Amino acid sequence: MIGAAAREALDRCLAERVEFDVPLSRHTSLRIGGPADALATPSDRAELARLLAVCAEHALPVTVLGGGFNVLVREGGIRGVVVRLRKLRRIEQTAPDQVAIEAGASHATITRFCTSHGLAGLEFAAGIPGTLGGWLAMNAGIGVREMKDVVREIDLLDRKGQATTTLPRAALDFRYRELAGLEPGSVIVAARLEVTPGERSKVEAEVDRLLEQRHRTQPIDQPSCGSVFRNPPGDHAGRLIEAVGLKGSRAGAAEISTVHANFIVNHGDATATDVLCLIERARDLVAARTGIRLETEVKILGVAASPKCERG
Ligand SMILES: Cc1cc2nc3c(=O)[nH]c(=O)nc-3n(C[C@H](O)[C@H](O)[C@H](O)COP(=O)(O)OP(=O)(O)OC[C@H]3O[C@@H](n4cnc5c(N)ncnc54)[C@H](O)[C@@H]3O)c2cc1C
C-alpha cells in the first residue's frame, strides 16, 4: 500500500501516467501477475529522474519492467512502484556503424529501424521479445550471439534519479543471461550499439530466416515467459526436462510446453503458483535423475498470496 503523501507526490509528478493497483497480468507475456501498488510510465528521461527522486524520498521500492517477457509475477503483486519505459523509445543512427537507442524501444521497433536502414548485426535479437533495457539487463541472445557482442556503451540513471553515468563495454560485467554488478535500483535508460552498414534485403532475409526457425521450435503463439531455466554448462535445460518425461506435464492451467520443454505455457487462467509448481517439479525430477540442479532464468517478482504448491 502506498500512503497518502507518497500517492499525492506520484500524482503531482506523473499525472495520468501513474495508475494504482494495476494487475500485472496485463503487462506480462505469461498473462499472470498480481497488482502493482503503482504502475508508472514516465514520458521522458527527465520525468523518469523526477519519479525516481520521489520514490527515494518516500522510500518506495522501484521495480523496472521492460516488456515483461521474462518475468513471473506472484499473485500478491509488487509493492511500491513498477516503472515502464515504453515512452522512452527514440532510435537514431549516430554514426555509419552505430545506433543510439532508448531503453524502452521494443524488439519490433529496433528490428524495423535496422531493416529499413539496411543495418546488420542485430538480426539475432529480432525474435527475442522485449525492450532494449530488458535485452541488456538479461544479456539476451541466441546461440553464441548475445547483447554483449553488440554493446558499445550504456547510460545508467542512479536509483535516486540524480546522475546518469555512461559505462563503456569494458566496464560492463556481462554474464550468461545477466548483466552483473549494476548498482541495485539503477535504470538502464539508453545504449549505443554497434551495427554494420549492409543491404536491406540481406538484413530482412536473415531476420525472416531466424523468425521462421523460432516459429518451428518455440510455442510462440501461446502465453509464456520464454526460457524458464538457464542452460546448465554443456547441456540444455529443455533436453533434460524432456528426458525425464515432463513435456506436457500440467499444474492447473500451466503446462510444460509440448513444443519446447524449457517453456511453460498458460492455457488460460494459470496462476503463478501453478507455474512455480511446475518449476519445482522439473527441478526436483531433473536433480533426482541427473544430479543437475536447474537454475531459473525467468525473474520471479513480487510476493505470494496463496498457499504453497502441493508437490505432485
Ligand atoms: C516466446 C519467447 C521467446 C524468447 N526467446 C528468447 C531468446 O531466444 N533468447 C533470450 O535471451 N531470451 C528470450 N526470451 C526472454 C525475453 O525475451 C528476454 O529476456 C528479453 O530480454 C526480456 O526483455 P523485457 O524487456 O521483456 O524484460 P523484462 O522481462 O520486462 O525484464 C527482465 C529483467 O530485466 C530488468 N530490466 C528491464 N528493463 C530494464 C531497464 N531499463 N533497466 C534495468 N533493468 C531492466 C527487469 O527488472 C527484469 O529483472 C524469450 C521470451 C519469450 C516470451
Side-chain angles (χ1 to χ4, degrees):
M1 273 296 284
I2 294 184
R7 208 176 157 116
E8 213 173 282
L10 288 170
D11 272 332
R12 253 199 322 274
C13 178
L14 285 142
E16 76 285 358
R17 291 176 297 288
V18 62
E19 300 167 82
F20 297 93
D21 297 317
V22 180
L24 290 169
S25 51
R26 294 188 204 146
H27 299 280
T28 64
S29 57
L30 249 179
R31 300 281 169 259
I32 287 176
D37 285 343
L39 180 68
T41 313
S43 55
D44 54 26
R45 284 195 221 184
E47 196 167 75
L48 170 65
R50 287 198 296 276
L51 167 67
L52 294 179
V54 167
C55 292
E57 191 186 329
H58 291 271
L60 297 173
V62 172
T63 305
V64 184
L65 193 63
F69 285 97
N70 208 192
V71 295
L72 170 63
V73 180
R74 291 184 162 111
E75 284 90 343
I78 299 182
R79 298 293 72 80
V81 180
V82 172
V83 182
R84 300 189 77 209
L85 303 186
R86 64 194 177 84
K87 291 181 190 283
L88 278 69
R89 53 172 182 241
R90 266 188 313 177
I91 308 185
E92 55 179 326
Q93 187 174 0
T94 46
D97 65 347
Q98 180 170 287
V99 281
I101 311 178
E102 286 191 313
S106 72
H107 66 286
T109 307
I110 298 169
T111 302
R112 246 190 332 267
F113 182 90
C114 289
T115 42
S116 66
H117 289 73
L119 299 172
L122 298 180
E123 298 92 324
F124 77 95
I128 303 179
T131 59
L132 177 71
W135 277 356
L136 293 167
M138 299 301 294
N139 188 21
I142 51 167
V144 292
R145 209 152 158 77
E146 302 173 317
M147 290 314 293
K148 73 165 172 34
D149 302 318
V150 293
V151 175
R152 284 201 169 144
E153 49 189 25
I154 289 183
D155 296 335
L156 272 181
L157 185 58
D158 75 293
R159 65 181 187 83
K160 291 185 175 171
Q162 285 171 347
T164 304
T165 312
T166 296
L167 295 177
R169 168 71 191 86
L172 296 165
D173 186 6
F174 281 110
R175 303 186 185 173
Y176 173 57
R177 297 297 170 264
E178 179 183 4
L179 173 52
L182 297 184
E183 184 211 342
S186 60
V187 180
I188 300 166
V189 287
R192 263 73 62 205
L193 306 185
E194 185 173 326
V195 290
T196 311
E199 278 173 41
R200 179 181 175 144
S201 59
K202 284 197 180 148
V203 178
E204 260 167 5
E206 180 62 357
V207 166
D208 289 348
R209 184 185 72 78
L210 290 168
L211 291 181
E212 195 274 325
Q213 194 176 53
R214 212 169 259 277
H215 271 90
R216 273 188 287 113
T217 55
Q218 295 181 351
I220 58 171
D221 51 351
Q222 290 171 303
S224 82
C225 57
S227 294
V228 172
F229 295 104
R230 293 156 172 252
N231 287 325
D235 211 331
H236 287 94
R239 190 200 72 75
L240 290 163
I241 297 165
E242 185 171 353
V244 299
L246 284 180
K247 250 189 174 179
S249 181
R250 281 197 179 220
E255 181 187 55
I256 295 183
S257 168
T258 52
V259 179
H260 190 313
N262 199 18
F263 281 62
I264 291 176
V265 295
N266 176 2
H267 282 290
D269 58 354
T271 62
T273 304
D274 295 335
V275 176
L276 290 167
C277 278
L278 290 179
I279 288 176
E280 281 191 28
R281 197 179 295 165
R283 189 180 265 153
D284 287 354
L285 205 53
V286 168
R289 299 263 175 91
T290 68
I292 296 171
R293 185 181 156 79
L294 294 174
E295 303 291 343
T296 45
E297 176 174 320
V298 59
K299 298 282 181 195
I300 300 170
L301 306 177
V303 294
S306 56
K308 238 185 102 50
C309 151
E310 282 178 31
R311 286 164 169 261

